[in-house]
Amino acid sequence: MKRRTIILVLLAALLVVLASFPGLAGLVVDWYWFEALEFETVFLTSLGTKLGLAFGIGLIAFAFFFGNMHAAQRGIVPDLVLVSVSPNMPKIELTRLLRRLSWPVALVFALLLGLSGTGNWLTLLRFLHRMPFGDVDPVFGKDIGYYLFTLPMISVVLQLVVALTVMALLIVVPLYVLRRDVVLHGRRVTIEPSAQLHLAGLLAVLFAATGANMFLVRIPSLVYSTAGPLFGASYADLVVRVPVFRVVGVVALVGVVLVILGARTGRLVRNTVAAGALYLGISVAGMAAAAMMQKFIVDPNELVKESPQLEHHIAATRRAWGLDEVVTRALSGEATLTLADIQANSGTVGNIRLWDRGPLLQTFRQLQEIRTYYDFRSVDDDRYWIDGKYRQVLLAARELNTASLPTRNFINDRLTYTHGMGLTLSPVNEVSPEGLPVLFIKDLPPVSTVSLGVKRPEVYYGELASDYVFVNTRQPEFDYPLGDSSAFTTYRGTGGVRVNSFLRKLLISVRFRSLDVLLTSLITRDSRVLYHRNIAERASKALPFLVWDHDPYLVVTDEGRLKWILDAYTVSDRYPYSLPVGGGTNYMRNSVKVVIDAYDGTVRAYIADASDPIVKIYASIFKGIFEPLDAMPADLRAHVRYPNDLFRIQTELYAAYHMDEPDVFYAREDQWQIPSASPSEASGDDPFLRHMVMKLPGETREEYITMTAFTPRQKDNLAAWMVARSDGAHYGQLVVYRFPRQSLVFGPTQIVNRINQDTEISRQISLWDQRGSEVIRGKLLVIPIEESLMFVQALYLRAEGGRIPELKRVIVAHQNRVVMEETLHEGMARLFGGMIELESRPAAVAAAATGPVGEATETQIAELIGQVSEHYEQALAAQRVGDWARYGEQMRLVGELLRQVQEMVGGEGGR
């Protein structure tokens, strides 16, 4: 019998191990990943805190449940309860069975509570590392940090106490009934004295926790009230609910005394019912009183009664969303642009974006994907110094899409096709004679025709890379197509986890549920497995306590490496009086910038807002993973930008919260709105949120900014425009340029109406439509120049059945004049009367304006062609040995020489 028991126990243990092995394997493989990333502190701190919470809560819960069950089953049961399971088996004494089941039942309930408590691991850590905000709430005078870090922890503890007590009551009351210690006689309940004391103790804990919750949680939480006309404590909350909650809290504490006295006098049930009824009665009466005050006293005099609370709400919302630091500048609203103004802002006009992301992405996909298994997921805006000029560009990473591979199997998906290749980069304003974008970086491997080059073009980590792959295996890695053949490569980076033992190979095989990983002979001890390669997933895995912007963007460093920059936010839904947005968030800071290397997957996190208390707490919890922003390399720092999601929320809020006077805010006298897009324009989010390179009014040089426009509510004229600055020392500054309320400045909708009413434009669009072509209207650009505005809209034409939009016309508008020409410069020349000379002029326009370049002789052309051949041969030689830096440089020279030949040939033709 003993041997049989031992065998059963061993089998049960084996089953538990086998059942939990996949989870354990996943945990170990996660550890390998964090270790390779050098983020061990995140893994260990989060896991250790979760285990500590589970063990601590579980231990307390087990002791509490077992102790209560043991107390409920003490003594002799006068009337045994016997249960017959089968006629052939002896009857079972139920009370004895339940006594034996006490510890398993307590253990199950303890495990459930312990596991449920692990979700509060970050709440506990924030509480333990809490620090003050330095601001106090205007009602109770507590530091804001109390509401963000201490109050949530108090709430969790009290919820745990209530849960323990209620569950214990649900367990012990049936036990007492079964043992006949609690007997129902009609409406009368008889309770054995020791049972009364036990139940009174539990009920006293429940009443005490309820009273403490009222004083410590419910009253302070009124700063999040939505009962009034605004978010935060209203007049009725402060005048009625606060006193009522205090009375109710006192009643709950009185209930503690009543139930204890009831246990001693034999009146436990009567006293408990009396205390509960009094508690509920006062609560209901208080709710009714607050509702009546709101309806009969506050609503008829709402502005007078709510003005102080409204002032608190406005100030808190502005602080929590960073709107209190917005700089406001006034514009005259009467300026008329001249040719001299255009020339003085040549850097702005020379970077006007003619290519919208949507049409450009379609064009990139048709011209530069090259193979079906490559894909451009999105197009990013950025700025670079190119050939000595500050240029705004649009770029997209050419990523590998394994779902489009012609043959799907383990070797292709996991060992051969492992990475994307390079990117395509185009200036925002240059157009070829065919109406296509001019490409500064293109083809496979990437070739640059400008000073910006790519030396490490492989994209192992990106927005599409979602599958695990193995590198440094016996299977050659596909690098890029090379004519009718393919070029192969070997991974030379340090990314991923080394598969240097059979145990690791086994664990990885179990983690990814792939027997091929375990059985293949192509994976060696030098191989590495790369996983969590999607940059959004990778960042969230490495820093799970941050919230992420939806638009990561690619950067080419000075060394020619590709790196992704992601904006991360610290957020809270506990900021007093601040208005919450989607998901309940009412505090947000762009406190962290994260950089991920596209080749080796390195993750580096930089603190962008050192004044944010939340990120200070995270830096204290997870030591060593954050670096100051000054530590970011200069070539990456030059591409940091203000995040889109935060700016979008701030502009939506600022449309109302620029009114900081309660009476003005209440009446919505000066509320703004973000203009809506015309249905005929290219689709996309935020039609008037733009990244631009421009010179702001009063500044001396161009800079990279994010901009949006405002119109008065339910009006079409322009009221103001807002920018977020991204360059240098001005990074993060929000500036609003306001037009006088008495002036009329045409807004986007009015300009669109003028464009639609222009007979020349309407006739041309109708002519294209009649020929079966699809006309795509680009997004209307609002271009601030000095203290005035210019509007630009590109028109794209896509042939019937075609997929490549071609830029055919550019519409330029200023005040009440609208023109349409083939190029932006021709449109501005017609609008302002003169030839526009700019620093950054599109090549096609520059050639048309300046004409042939010099006298081109046959000898000079022949010499140039000879140099082209020489550099091309050197490029091929570099390609054969894998020297991509020299290859790119030689191809750049080839491009420059061919351009000179084209100009000379054009010059000969002109004469």
Side-chain angles (χ1 to χ4, degrees), residues 249-267:
V250 170
V251 168
L253 297 179
V254 170
V256 174
V257 178
L258 288 177
V259 295
I260 293 176
L261 290 176
R264 291 184 176 274
T265 59
R267 298 180 177 182

Side-chain angles (χ1 to χ4, degrees), residues 32 470 498-511 514 516-524:
Y32 292 155
F470 292 87
R498 293 190 63 185
V499 192
N500 54 8
S501 68
F502 175 79
L503 178 59
R504 284 200 175 192
K505 195 173 183 180
L506 173 63
L507 291 170
I508 291 167
S509 175
V510 174
R511 163 65 177 80
S514 173
D516 292 324
V517 172
L518 186 63
L519 300 180
T520 183
S521 61
L522 298 175
I523 298 175
T524 70

Side-chain angles (χ1 to χ4, degrees), residues 696-709:
L696 294 172
E699 301 294 335
T700 58
R701 55 174 293 179
E702 289 76 25
E703 57 185 284
Y704 188 72
I705 57 99
T706 309
M707 174 196 164
T708 197

Side-chain angles (χ1 to χ4, degrees), residues 135-378:
D135 293 325
V136 297
D137 83 276
V139 176
F140 301 109
K142 296 181 182 295
D143 186 88
I144 302 299
Y146 173 84
Y147 294 94
L148 270 66
F149 313 127
T150 303
L151 186 59
M153 194 65 219
I154 294 174
S155 178
V156 168
V157 171
L158 291 176
Q159 287 173 17
L160 177 61
V161 171
V162 170
L164 284 169
T165 308
V166 170
M167 291 174 70
L169 283 168
L170 293 175
I171 293 172
V172 300
V173 168
L175 285 176
Y176 279 130
V177 172
L178 188 66
R179 292 169 55 91
R180 308 290 293 174
D181 290 331
V182 175
V183 181
L184 298 175
H185 300 285
R187 295 184 179 182
R188 185 179 177 185
V189 179
T190 302
I191 305 176
E192 190 268 335
S194 62
Q196 284 200 65
L197 289 174
H198 184 193
L199 293 175
L202 291 175
L203 290 170
V205 171
L206 188 60
F207 274 110
T210 304
N213 182 70
M214 195 61 65
F215 283 106
L216 300 179
V217 178
R218 289 291 303 279
I219 292 176
S221 295
L222 284 174
V223 295
Y224 314 121
S225 172
T226 57
L230 48 85
F231 187 84
S234 65
Y235 181 86
D237 290 326
L238 299 177
V239 174
V240 177
R241 288 189 177 89
V242 169
V244 168
F245 285 176
R246 286 173 178 162
V247 172
V248 170
V250 170
V251 168
L253 297 179
V254 170
V256 174
V257 178
L258 288 177
V259 295
I260 293 176
L261 290 176
R264 291 184 176 274
T265 59
R267 298 180 177 182
L268 175 62
V269 175
R270 184 181 300 176
N271 287 11
T272 302
V273 171
L278 185 60
Y279 180 91
L280 292 175
I282 295 177
S283 298
V284 172
M287 293 172 57
M292 292 176 64
M293 172 168 280
Q294 182 69 40
K295 183 173 182 61
F296 296 109
I297 297 177
V298 177
D299 288 349
N301 307 280
E302 193 169 52
L303 179 57
V304 175
K305 297 295 185 182
E306 300 288 10
S307 281
Q309 291 71 245
L310 195 57
E311 187 174 351
H312 301 331
H313 170 72
I314 296 170
T317 301
R318 287 168 62 91
R319 281 197 306 270
W321 290 103
L323 303 178
D324 58 328
E325 298 180 356
V326 174
V327 178
T328 303
R329 296 177 181 171
L331 300 174
S332 67
E334 299 177 354
T336 300
L337 289 178
T338 65
L339 184 62
D341 294 326
I342 299 299
Q343 298 287 10
N345 289 270
S346 59
T348 298
V349 178
N351 279 290
I352 292 176
R353 193 174 87 183
L354 299 181
W355 289 102
D356 282 346
R357 290 188 182 191
L360 187 65
L361 182 60
Q362 297 176 36
T363 303
F364 279 178
R365 285 174 172 169
Q366 294 302 312
L367 300 181
Q368 283 291 303
E369 283 185 354
I370 299 177
R371 292 291 188 273
T372 57
Y373 42 77
Y374 287 126
D375 195 3
F376 293 105
R377 185 184 180 277
S378 62

Side-chain angles (χ1 to χ4, degrees), residues 887-902:
Y887 174 86
E889 177 62 22
Q890 294 299 321
M891 291 304 295
R892 185 182 67 80
L893 294 173
V894 168
E896 291 180 356
L897 291 169
L898 288 175
R899 196 181 303 114
Q900 293 180 33
V901 171
Q902 184 180 12

Side-chain angles (χ1 to χ4, degrees), residues 527-777:
S527 299
R528 292 175 176 269
V529 56
L530 315 183
Y531 50 106
H532 299 308
R533 295 192 302 134
N534 179 279
I535 55 172
E537 175 197 351
R538 189 175 187 83
S540 297
K541 183 81 173 178
L543 302 163
F545 42 86
L546 298 176
V547 175
W548 300 90
D549 192 271
H550 84 287
D551 188 23
Y553 53 100
L554 187 67
V555 171
V556 183
T557 69
D558 290 348
E559 297 177 349
R561 295 182 72 95
L562 302 180
K563 299 196 176 188
W564 298 93
I565 296 182
L566 298 87
D567 285 290
Y569 305 106
T570 51
V571 301
S572 177
D573 58 357
R574 310 292 296 178
Y575 199 100
Y577 269 108
S578 174
L579 181 74
V581 297
T585 299
N586 67 354
Y587 173 89
M588 178 181 282
R589 290 291 184 272
N590 176 219
S591 298
V592 180
K593 304 283 186 181
V594 173
V595 178
I596 299 180
D597 192 292
Y599 186 70
D600 59 28
T602 303
V603 178
R604 298 186 67 180
Y606 301 92
I607 294 179
D609 186 354
S611 65
D612 174 40
I614 298 181
V615 81
K616 289 180 183 179
I617 288 176
Y618 289 150
S620 175
I621 296 171
F622 307 102
K623 297 184 184 300
I625 65 170
F626 291 108
E627 304 175 61
L629 191 61
D630 292 340
M632 181 183 285
D635 56 344
L636 288 174
R637 182 73 180 271
H639 295 280
V640 166
R641 75 184 188 197
Y642 200 82
N644 285 353
D645 288 350
L646 178 59
F647 186 66
R648 185 182 304 111
I649 296 172
Q650 286 176 319
T651 53
E652 290 173 356
L653 291 174
Y654 197 77
Y657 287 87
H658 69 277
M659 301 176 287
D660 53 5
E661 295 295 330
D663 53 343
V664 177
F665 184 90
Y666 181 81
R668 297 293 197 267
E669 291 180 11
D670 190 27
Q671 184 165 350
W672 299 340
Q673 65 185 19
I674 297 173
S676 58
S678 167
S680 59
E681 292 182 27
S683 61
D685 296 332
D686 302 315
F688 295 101
L689 190 150
R690 297 284 186 274
H691 295 105
M692 300 173 60
V693 170
M694 64 168 290
K695 184 171 69 175
L696 294 172
E699 301 294 335
T700 58
R701 55 174 293 179
E702 289 76 25
E703 57 185 284
Y704 188 72
I705 57 99
T706 309
M707 174 196 164
T708 197
F710 295 108
T711 62
R713 184 166 59 103
Q714 298 180 349
K715 300 291 182 181
D716 293 331
N717 59 290
L718 212 61
W721 48 278
M722 185 177 189
V723 301
R725 305 175 74 174
S726 294
D727 284 354
H730 297 298
Y731 172 81
Q733 186 182 55
L734 300 177
V735 186
V736 171
Y737 295 88
R738 299 188 60 163
F739 294 105
R741 294 180 65 178
Q742 67 273 14
S743 65
L744 175 62
V745 179
F746 289 135
T749 302
Q750 293 166 321
I751 295 296
V752 168
N753 291 336
R754 285 184 171 274
I755 292 173
N756 293 337
Q757 294 166 5
D758 187 278
T759 55
E760 177 188 351
I761 297 173
S762 299
R763 183 170 56 251
Q764 182 62 67
I765 292 175
S766 299
L767 182 61
W768 282 328
D769 286 335
Q770 291 171 5
R771 294 177 178 175
S773 298
E774 179 187 2
V775 179
I776 303 173
R777 289 195 179 191

